[in-house]
Amino acid sequence: MFKKILIANRGEIALRIIRACKEMGIKTVAVHSTADANSLHVRFADESVCIGPPKSTDSYLHVPSIISAAEITDAEAIHPGYGFLAENASFAEICNSTGMRFIGPSPESIKQMGDKARARATAIKAGVPVLPGSDGVVTEENSAIEIAREIGFPVIVKAAAGGGGKGMRVVLEEAEFANAFVMAQTEALAAFGNADVYIEKYLLQPRHIEIQLMADEKGNVVYLGERECSIQRRHQKLIEEAPSVTVDAALRKEMGEMAVAIAKNVKYRNAGTIEFLMDVDRKYYFMEMNTRIQVEHPVTEMVTGIDLVKEQIRVAAGLPLSFTQDQICIRGHSMECRINAEDPVKFTPSPGTITAFNPPGGPGIRVETAAYTQYVIPQYYDSMIAKLVVYADNRDDAIMRMKRALNEFIIEGVKTTIPMHKKILDDPDFQSGNISTKFMERYNNPQK
Ligand code: ADP
């Protein structure tokens, strides 16, 4: 097993990884920008290295600084967390070539599954259903219109390199297509440095259901059930839960085996997630793969009792998976609310000083956060300040528990999304599980 791991991230996920390392007897190295000198991940790691100024491109995304930090501290492996360098194949390659272990999949898998158009082709090859769409990337406007017409409107134009809910354009009718297509290419180039886009049928009221995978170096791949992430705003997840109300044991097995087939096809190792869209008839379609640990991984941990971050570290060290498919058992219900520091009405970030911070506690509560009283939320990074995770015997109890916990959660000095979460939890459709990715539109438009 590794003796020392460097964590190339910040905030709650850096802390989450440090906690896993401590419980495994592994020493930790935190890296941080000058804006994060007073962060909890710096405080709780065994060592820390300042890697640059606040801007991510000069610090958390600056590969030479991170590699140097690992070298001077004798770290044997690097955990990238999510975001930043987690899905950067060349970073994974540099880690491995400098003799450090990248805790994640191989650079080849990241490349193959990180390009959404290529990932789609891989899913097709593995026999997994996909939505009607273009055969890979489309560059030319006239042929793009042809393809869109053939698929049938509405369609969605997606950046091959997209992520984080960015780089997608929905086109409801043909008249809007040409313009949207060019805009999507321009936006993709500006945001991801890559103008490649592809086209897919747009589902009007889908559910977002994803399967958690874990794979070791020996080729064992196991699925750990699903997460439902349909409560989204601007294609970004707000609430996630496990299991999904629409997925029964038979469907879980079927989707799980589909996800495993994709992973086996690319000789995948470490943690990964296969995202599907599901229509009202419970037909599911591959959407994309995330080749890293995800923000919402705790809900799967709660219902399976498996520590995914520890497992990531174990398999990166060459150990076999510590469980088999037969040993995975989904028990109870878990739900996660992402609490962002932002104006709940205008959705704009709300950086500043947290003047009072009281996280909830009691039975079945897990709070993942790097915030504390007097913590100053930097303006440079994303606005998520806490993940509130609950666990209960069933979904109704989980909702009651979440409501109780949201009411206990005191965060003063900055605006947060807590009021929005309370509203969602009180919504009869949410409570009955009648949800889709369109759920949040009712809050943007009171007529709905
Ligand atoms: P990202 O990588 O940016 O997270 P995804 O491909 O995972 O992008 O899509 C994010 C969200 O966008 C989905 O959860 C869903 O709400 C919406 N979406 C993507 N593709 C489609 C589609 N074909 N039809 C309907 N909604 C879609």
Side-chain angles (χ1 to χ4, degrees):
M1 185 40 69
F2 306 118
K3 290 191 190 66
K4 198 190 268 186
I5 292 176
L6 179 137
I7 296 113
N9 215 302
R10 64 181 299 281
E12 68 85 20
I13 192 64
L15 210 50
R16 165 76 187 88
I17 298 161
I18 290 170
R19 285 174 172 148
C21 290
K22 295 217 169 197
E23 291 179 14
M24 294 172 88
I26 299 169
K27 292 262 183 272
T28 52
V29 181
V31 293
H32 66 92
S33 72
T34 50
D36 278 339
N38 296 323
S39 291
L40 288 187
H41 78 284
V42 174
R43 184 164 179 161
F44 290 133
D46 296 295
E47 289 169 72
S48 64
V49 180
C50 180
I51 49 164
K55 251 179 74 191
S56 305
T57 44
D58 298 331
S59 50
Y60 297 105
L61 289 170
H62 196 251
V63 174
S65 307
I66 291 170
I67 298 291
S68 309
E71 280 173 345
I72 58 170
T73 54
D74 287 326
E76 292 155 284
I78 298 186
H79 197 309
Y82 55 71
F84 295 126
L85 296 167
E87 289 176 284
N88 183 320
S90 89
F91 177 65
E93 215 164 288
I94 293 168
C95 288
N96 295 339
S97 69
T98 50
M100 255 153 314
R101 261 290 163 171
F102 175 80
I103 302 177
S106 68
E108 296 72 38
S109 298
I110 299 178
K111 258 184 236 153
Q112 183 163 0
M113 302 314 283
D115 180 309
K116 292 191 187 185
R118 277 181 74 188
R120 195 180 133 88
T122 307
I124 295 170
K125 210 171 111 200
V128 177
V130 297
L131 284 164
S134 62
D135 193 7
V137 170
V138 192
T139 46
E140 207 267 316
E141 197 182 305
N142 287 332
S143 52
I145 292 199
E146 285 287 290
I147 293 165
R149 207 177 283 146
E150 218 165 279
I151 296 168
F153 289 91
V155 299
I156 182 166
V157 184
K158 295 168 99 170
K166 298 192 187 80
M168 285 178 282
R169 285 231 155 204
V170 178
V171 191
L172 296 177
E173 51 190 74
E174 189 169 331
E176 301 163 8
F177 185 81
N179 195 20
F181 182 72
V182 176
M183 291 285 277
Q185 287 179 318
T186 314
E187 281 169 11
L189 183 65
F192 311 107
N194 175 351
D196 287 353
V197 297
Y198 65 105
I199 306 166
E200 205 174 70
K201 177 86 188 164
Y202 183 70
L203 291 182
L204 285 175
Q205 290 206 313
R207 287 170 178 267
H208 172 122
I209 312 252
E210 58 186 35
I211 303 286
Q212 176 70 53
L213 294 176
M214 199 68 222
D216 64 21
E217 313 234 321
K218 318 252 170 336
N220 300 307
V221 190
V222 165
Y223 61 89
L224 293 99
E226 78 285 0
R227 294 185 285 260
E228 166 134 24
C229 315
S230 298
I231 305 296
Q232 305 180 347
R233 194 185 57 198
R234 295 192 207 132
H235 303 307
Q236 286 171 351
K237 297 160 188 168
L238 298 173
I239 298 180
E240 301 97 344
E241 54 186 307
S244 160
V245 285
T246 44
V247 178
D248 56 22
L251 187 56
R252 178 168 306 123
K253 182 164 188 284
E254 190 182 317
M255 292 178 78
E257 286 172 357
M258 288 284 175
V260 168
I262 295 174
K264 288 205 160 153
N265 211 279
V266 294
K267 299 201 169 42
Y268 195 81
R269 60 161 196 251
N270 217 283
T273 298
I274 304 285
E275 297 190 335
F276 293 97
L277 287 178
M278 188 181 278
D279 68 16
V280 283
D281 302 319
R282 295 207 310 165
K283 280 213 197 80
Y284 57 88
Y285 308 91
F286 170 82
M287 183 165 53
E288 68 158 341
M289 179 172 199
N290 288 316
T291 57
R292 52 167 163 82
I293 193 79
Q294 287 190 267
V295 174
E296 60 273 25
H297 76 275
V299 295
T300 298
E301 294 185 324
M302 302 310 275
V303 297
T304 58
I306 286 166
D307 187 313
L308 290 168
V309 177
K310 283 187 187 168
E311 205 59 31
Q312 281 195 292
I313 296 170
R314 286 173 50 87
V315 302
L319 294 171
L321 286 178
S322 55
F323 46 83
T324 60
Q325 189 66 60
D326 296 346
Q327 289 169 329
I328 308 282
C329 164
I330 310 289
R331 190 171 288 136
H333 199 95
S334 182
M335 210 172 259
E336 170 182 282
C337 287
R338 297 191 189 193
I339 311 225
N340 296 339
E342 62 181 40
D343 186 300
V345 182
K346 290 186 241 142
F347 305 154
T348 47
S350 172
T353 305
I354 295 179
T355 52
F357 190 79
N358 177 67
I365 304 291
R366 169 174 171 184
V367 182
E368 297 283 345
T369 183
Y372 52 88
T373 301
Q374 292 310 322
Y375 176 67
V376 182
I377 303 169
Q379 59 183 342
Y380 308 97
Y381 314 111
D382 84 33
S383 61
M384 193 177 75
I385 45 169
K387 303 189 306 205
L388 173 54
V389 183
V390 304
Y391 176 77
D393 286 345
N394 56 57
R395 191 170 186 269
D396 288 346
D397 289 355
I399 290 174
M400 290 306 283
R401 184 159 277 169
M402 183 63 91
K403 290 211 268 186
R404 185 269 286 171
L406 284 166
N407 282 319
E408 270 176 39
F409 211 150
I410 296 170
I411 305 177
E412 285 170 5
V414 295
K415 290 188 173 148
T416 78
T417 47
I418 289 177
M420 176 196 72
H421 284 299
K422 288 184 185 167
K423 235 161 107 178
I424 298 171
L425 282 147
D426 276 333
D427 188 297
D429 279 332
F430 179 80
Q431 289 175 355
S432 65
N434 178 25
I435 54 180
S436 79
T437 61
K438 287 288 142 66
F439 179 87
M440 287 305 289
E441 282 186 4
R442 71 188 64 191
Y443 293 117
N444 303 338
N445 178 358
Q447 259 77 53
K448 286 197 180 170

